[in-house]
Amino acid sequence: MKTVALRHHKLQVLDRGEGIPLLFVHGFPLDHWMWSAQVDCFSQRCRTIVPDLRGFGKSELPDGPASMEAYADDLYEMLNVLGEKQPVVLIGLSMGGYIGWQFFQKYADRVLAMVACDTRTVADTPAAAAARTALIANIRRDGAKAAADAMLPRLFSPETHLHQPQLVEQTRQVILKTPVNGLVAALEGMRTRPDMTPLLAKIDVPTLVMVGEHDQISPPAEMEQICEQVSDCKWFVVPGAAHLSPLENPNVFNGALSEFLSK
Ligand code: MLT
């Protein structure tokens, strides 16, 4: 991991390989670790850049709101500090996808292609926002364990819970290490994120939309509609997976990503 000093805070970033830059953006409440199988596969032929977002992993959390736009601004600044001037393939999962839409909106000239995994474009409904407020209170009271308990049952498919319990446990350990302030800031940022659906018609780079077949947080039917609104979009469903498709079924996920990249 490298320490990348931005103007107001420092990020920890895994930066491995050479070639076309692939920027992997993790979901909530995880860190760069969730992309390990993709780094192993793609760093042989690409530059894989995998940050811990502000307040996650060992990255610092500066003052101010952790809006999806603020995370995107961090990524832009990080790429500049790393000296990466080529447009990137931006691969974002869930909250990483929310950040990806913001990044495209502000920095489209720095995007070669988009990969939206298990994510959404709509804003929180009042009920979803209220659930985040309740989770924030639980995390403030019980720590990161409250986030693990709330999220883990929904992150993985029944198959994964049954056949890969060690993966579920590893994920729990990553969540338990996440600082409370980082979790709260991200939940506040997601709770107030804007509806990005109108952006889809403006995306003019090749796009891949991928989703686990059992994803309940960003359901396949909703993600298929996202793909239909992007002019040059490929659609792929990851079998046996739920919300963490790159972790649950990495071979199939990597195969689909590899085919997209080769085109
Ligand atoms: C994520 O995986 O990043 C979260 O499930 C996103 C969300 O809670 O909206």
Side-chain angles (χ1 to χ4, degrees), residues 170-247:
Q170 272 179 301
T171 307
R172 173 183 291 279
Q173 293 308 321
V174 170
I175 298 172
L176 292 180
K177 280 190 295 187
T178 305
V180 162
N181 289 347
L183 294 170
V184 169
L187 285 164
E188 287 171 341
M190 288 193 284
R191 188 176 55 185
T192 53
R193 73 188 191 283
D195 179 10
M196 297 301 285
T197 311
L199 179 78
L200 295 174
K202 298 186 191 139
I203 296 180
D204 55 359
V205 295
T207 298
L208 172 63
V209 169
M210 301 173 89
V211 65
E213 69 169 321
H214 302 299
D215 194 339
Q216 293 173 17
I217 298 175
S218 40
E222 185 180 318
M223 289 211 72
E224 196 168 11
Q225 283 182 5
I226 291 178
C227 196
E228 281 166 6
Q229 292 173 72
V230 177
S231 59
D232 178 6
C233 187
K234 293 269 174 295
W235 164 244
F236 190 85
V237 177
V238 183
H243 193 58
L244 294 186
S245 55
L247 277 162

Side-chain angles (χ1 to χ4, degrees), residues 22-215:
L22 309 185
L23 173 57
F24 289 93
V25 188
H26 66 78
F28 175 90
L30 301 170
D31 65 19
H32 73 281
W33 165 83
M34 66 152 286
W35 296 112
S36 301
Q38 287 66 49
V39 172
D40 287 348
C41 176
F42 293 100
S43 62
Q44 316 290 330
R45 55 192 159 114
C46 298
R47 182 177 189 185
T48 54
I49 303 173
V50 197
D52 285 346
L53 295 167
R54 58 164 74 186
F56 289 88
K58 296 206 167 66
S59 289
E60 293 175 353
L61 179 70
D63 291 339
S67 62
M68 300 302 108
E69 185 180 354
Y71 289 116
D73 289 342
D74 285 355
L75 297 179
Y76 176 76
E77 207 185 333
M78 174 198 75
L79 290 171
N80 290 341
V81 174
L82 288 173
E84 184 53 78
K85 293 281 157 54
Q86 287 188 79
V88 301
V89 179
L90 197 158
I91 303 151
L93 181 131
S94 201
M95 186 177 85
Y98 309 159
I99 297 165
W101 307 133
Q102 294 289 336
F103 190 93
F104 186 87
Q105 178 159 270
K106 283 186 92 165
Y107 309 114
D109 59 331
R110 301 292 286 270
V111 181
L112 180 65
M114 295 281 282
V115 182
C117 315
D118 302 277
T119 192
R120 317 183 71 187
T121 54
V122 291
D124 272 7
T125 60
R132 294 206 199 274
T133 303
L135 182 54
I136 288 170
N138 291 345
I139 291 171
R140 286 205 166 113
R141 192 186 59 230
D142 299 334
K145 179 179 177 305
D149 291 347
M151 298 295 295
L152 280 171
R154 297 190 302 145
L155 292 178
F156 294 110
S157 69
E159 289 107 297
T160 304
H161 278 285
L162 188 64
H163 299 301
Q164 303 189 72
Q166 71 294 347
L167 176 63
V168 179
E169 182 52 31
Q170 272 179 301
T171 307
R172 173 183 291 279
Q173 293 308 321
V174 170
I175 298 172
L176 292 180
K177 280 190 295 187
T178 305
V180 162
N181 289 347
L183 294 170
V184 169
L187 285 164
E188 287 171 341
M190 288 193 284
R191 188 176 55 185
T192 53
R193 73 188 191 283
D195 179 10
M196 297 301 285
T197 311
L199 179 78
L200 295 174
K202 298 186 191 139
I203 296 180
D204 55 359
V205 295
T207 298
L208 172 63
V209 169
M210 301 173 89
V211 65
E213 69 169 321
H214 302 299
D215 194 339

